[in-house]
Amino acid sequence: MGKTRIEGEKIVLRRMEYEDTDRIVRWRNNGRVRSHFIYRERFTPQGHRHWMETMTGTGKAVQFIICEKDSMRPVGSVYFRDIDREKKEAEYGIFVGEDDAVGKGYGTEAAKLAVGYAFSELGLRRLILRVFTDNGAAMKSYENAGFVKKSILKDVECSDGERKDMFLMSVEKEKLISFVIPCYRSERTLPKVVKEIKETVHAWKEQGKAYDYEIILVNDCSPDDTFSVIRKLCGEDKKIKGVSLAKNFGQHAALMAGFHQVKGEVVICLDDDGQTPADEAGKLLEQIEKGSDVVYARYDHKKHSLFRNFGSRVNEEMARIMLGKPKDLYVSSYFAAKRFVVEEMKKYTNAYPYVIGLVLRTTKRISNVTVCHREREIGNSGYTFGKLFALWFNGFTAFSVKPLRLATAMGCLFSVAGFLYGFYTVIKRLVNPDVPMGFSSLMAAIVFMDGMTMMMLGLVGEYIGRMYISMNNSPQFVIRETVNEDV
């Protein structure tokens, strides 16, 4: 049932009880109070008891009594009615019944306390209310509590026949968005990326979108002054968290370290170099709101070097062949994921994380949106050929047994080929006894077959080695230091 008592500065909200019936009836029959309701018929004890039995008793409504904090004198009531647990919304209502309590700010404080309770305790995301357009004091109180005018309802007919205009107002719980950024050699680019995220979220709020943010900056043991920059950014904004890894674990391990710090309902991952446009994160969120679990950014024209573009292409094909990625799905380092996906990914504790593989094994509701890709303004990519090769190799050995099956198939193929070649050699010798036996061809066949054997053994050994390392609980990442973790 949630809290039974909510304390503010001037007032206390306590749960309404059957003993409050006479008080509620008296307040609702007050002419001042009754004029602010559409239903203006005389209120009765029987009607109120029916309300408690059919509404508050069934959970369709929750109602509190507003009491003055010092004396605990009841002065009014606040309630939520028609609570929809699926849509997570309800209609909000309030009235101050005691005439001498009007104008003391009780309504504003009650509204703020009630909204906080609805979002934190009842798990609601949206509250709506209707207020007559000539009730300026009430509207000001609601606006102070975060309600916003959405539309005007013309000529609403009250139960006594009077027609008046009403405002439809609503307040929505801000959805926390967690931005996770792995950082490496980004001391000059990171401040601009963070600034763009803040400006983007501010623009969303101006558009009436209920979003808030937190930013997780993971320093992957960068050799430059990146973590000093992170410290400074964290000092300027408590919504920014800094994480410094004890050694360079790689981008995917840094992402996993960031996932263990997030609190948001949606997690957005982007790069630290400014090439992934934070101001287009709204496109990813729109697709999430439409029902996707994960949304990857797709680029019409990537501004990477030919080497990086080639590496991305190889990575795409590897994910398609080895991990079962849909052919029309484009994966990138810029993506958004719902919180439950991230929580499922965090369950993977082995030493070789590969985020794309974790996503593909968690959900099939994955989509793309097209965003621009910017030129790199400062520095060069941190991915060398060795790092890209290690990434690809990790991808298909950590989440697929297809390489082992390929090794089996190739072994069978070459065994059959060797048998057929031997049979061909015998027949050829019987048909033409003068055919010389070739030493060079024999050596070539031996070297080739032994080479293939060693490669297959190496691949099997890689799997066994990874199993051994995982059994020894080798960590995905080691955190040396955090900033603003407890904020």
Side-chain angles (χ1 to χ4, degrees):
M1 291 294 292
K3 294 181 180 179
T4 58
R5 180 185 173 97
I6 308 170
E7 292 193 15
E9 294 182 6
K10 300 178 181 178
I11 63 171
V12 172
L13 303 183
R14 66 164 175 81
R15 285 278 186 154
M16 184 180 67
E17 301 173 350
Y18 276 97
E19 288 75 10
D20 295 306
T21 297
D22 292 341
R23 187 177 289 116
I24 293 288
V25 171
R26 177 168 58 83
W27 288 341
R28 281 289 279 110
N29 288 329
N30 182 314
R32 172 184 53 81
V33 174
R34 191 164 52 185
S35 66
H36 295 153
F37 281 84
I38 296 175
Y39 180 78
R40 296 178 177 177
E41 301 304 318
R42 190 158 187 84
F43 215 57
T44 65
Q46 293 81 4
H48 183 255
R49 283 193 289 269
H50 179 73
W51 162 273
M52 292 196 69
E53 291 170 1
T54 61
M55 297 296 285
T56 59
T58 61
K60 294 180 180 178
V62 173
Q63 190 160 358
F64 288 91
I65 298 297
I66 305 171
C67 300
E68 293 176 325
K69 190 171 184 178
D70 294 336
S71 64
M72 287 303 292
R73 178 178 72 123
V75 295
S77 181
V78 61
Y79 60 88
F80 311 101
R81 61 171 296 162
D82 299 327
I83 296 175
D84 190 324
R85 302 291 179 179
E86 292 185 4
K87 294 183 178 179
K88 296 185 178 181
E89 65 180 22
E91 183 171 346
Y92 171 79
I94 183 175
F95 55 88
V96 177
E98 300 295 337
D99 292 335
D100 63 349
V102 176
K104 293 185 177 182
Y106 294 164
T108 298
E109 187 174 357
K112 291 180 179 179
L113 293 174
V115 169
Y117 172 83
F119 291 158
S120 63
E121 296 292 328
L122 296 181
L124 303 181
R125 297 205 56 83
R126 181 171 180 261
L127 297 176
I128 62 171
L129 63 83
R130 292 169 290 175
V131 56
F132 290 117
T133 56
D134 60 359
N135 193 354
M139 278 190 289
K140 184 177 180 180
S141 172
Y142 298 144
E143 288 173 345
N144 289 336
F147 284 88
V148 178
K149 296 174 185 174
K150 292 298 183 179
S151 62
I152 187 169
L153 308 174
K154 290 287 190 180
D155 294 327
V156 177
E157 185 175 0
C158 302
S159 63
D160 61 359
E162 183 181 12
R163 291 182 175 273
K164 298 178 69 174
D165 295 342
M166 301 187 80
F167 283 119
L168 179 66
M169 305 180 73
S170 69
V171 60
E172 296 184 27
K173 181 182 180 181
E174 287 188 336
K175 181 178 288 187
L176 182 63
I177 309 300
S178 298
F179 293 86
V180 178
I181 306 177
C183 306
Y184 189 79
R185 294 186 183 275
S186 53
E187 60 178 336
R188 292 186 291 171
T189 59
L190 199 54
K192 185 176 179 180
V193 174
V194 170
K195 180 182 178 182
E196 186 175 26
I197 291 174
K198 292 181 179 181
E199 291 174 346
T200 299
V201 176
H202 180 70
W204 291 342
K205 290 185 177 181
E206 289 187 337
Q207 296 167 10
K209 298 177 180 178
Y211 290 124
D212 199 2
Y213 73 91
E214 67 170 0
I215 303 173
I216 317 297
L217 304 176
V218 184
N219 173 42
D220 194 16
C221 201
S222 180
D224 62 1
D225 213 23
T226 293
F227 195 61
S228 295
V229 173
I230 292 175
R231 284 180 180 276
K232 182 179 178 182
L233 293 169
C234 292
E236 296 170 350
D237 188 349
K238 297 302 181 183
K239 294 181 180 180
I240 301 176
K241 299 179 183 179
V243 178
S244 183
L245 302 185
K247 70 173 188 176
N248 181 251
F249 285 89
Q251 182 182 19
H252 290 245
L255 283 172
M256 294 296 288
F259 291 162
H260 282 77
Q261 302 292 324
V262 299
K263 296 179 180 178
E265 297 180 49
V266 177
V267 178
I268 297 179
C269 301
L270 65 163
D271 294 339
D272 59 345
D273 53 16
Q275 289 191 268
T276 49
D279 60 355
E280 294 198 61
K283 293 183 179 180
L284 279 67
L285 287 177
E286 287 177 8
Q287 202 67 19
I288 289 286
E289 297 291 351
K290 291 179 180 178
S292 295
D293 294 331
V294 180
V295 181
Y296 281 99
R298 180 198 299 271
Y299 310 115
D300 283 337
H301 302 286
K302 293 189 70 173
K303 304 298 183 180
H304 283 316
S305 64
L306 289 176
F307 168 70
R308 278 298 307 278
N309 286 335
F310 171 74
S312 297
R313 182 64 180 174
V314 172
N315 192 49
E316 281 279 310
E317 289 302 311
M318 184 274 294
R320 183 180 65 83
I321 296 172
M322 298 296 181
L323 306 180
K325 178 186 74 68
K327 187 175 183 179
D328 58 346
L329 175 66
Y330 179 87
V331 295
S332 66
S333 60
Y334 190 16
F335 67 94
K338 290 182 178 178
R339 179 64 179 272
F340 87 89
V341 176
V342 173
E343 291 299 318
E344 189 64 31
M345 293 166 69
K346 285 164 55 178
K347 294 178 182 178
Y348 182 83
T349 58
N350 289 342
Y352 301 98
Y354 188 60
V355 171
I356 297 170
L358 292 171
V359 168
L360 290 172
R361 79 175 191 176
T362 300
T363 179
K364 295 298 183 183
R365 285 184 164 185
I366 309 173
S367 60
N368 283 128
V369 293
T370 301
V371 303
C372 70
H373 193 253
R374 298 171 179 159
E375 293 278 2
R376 177 184 287 271
E377 296 182 1
I378 301 173
N380 298 310
S381 171
Y383 270 110
T384 62
F385 177 78
K387 288 184 176 180
L388 280 176
F389 181 79
L391 178 64
W392 304 331
F393 200 70
N394 179 50
F396 67 73
T397 55
F399 292 92
S400 176
V401 296
K402 287 186 178 179
L404 292 176
R405 292 173 180 170
L406 179 63
T408 301
M410 291 183 68
C412 293
L413 176 64
F414 283 108
S415 295
V416 172
F419 174 78
L420 293 177
Y421 184 74
F423 184 73
Y424 166 76
T425 303
V426 172
I427 298 300
K428 188 176 181 180
R429 182 71 173 177
L430 292 174
V431 173
N432 186 4
D434 296 329
V435 174
M437 301 300 293
F439 177 78
S440 57
S441 61
L442 177 62
M443 288 297 101
I446 292 174
V447 169
F448 178 73
M449 295 299 295
D450 284 353
M452 290 299 299
T453 302
M454 293 299 295
M455 186 185 77
M456 301 307 174
L457 287 175
L459 185 59
V460 173
E462 178 68 24
Y463 275 90
I464 295 174
R466 285 172 178 259
M467 291 170 60
Y468 175 76
I469 291 173
S470 297
M471 289 172 62
N472 279 288
N473 297 320
S474 182
Q476 285 182 354
F477 54 85
V478 178
I479 296 177
R480 181 189 300 278
E481 184 179 350
T482 60
V483 184
N484 289 345
E485 181 182 10
D486 298 326
V487 176

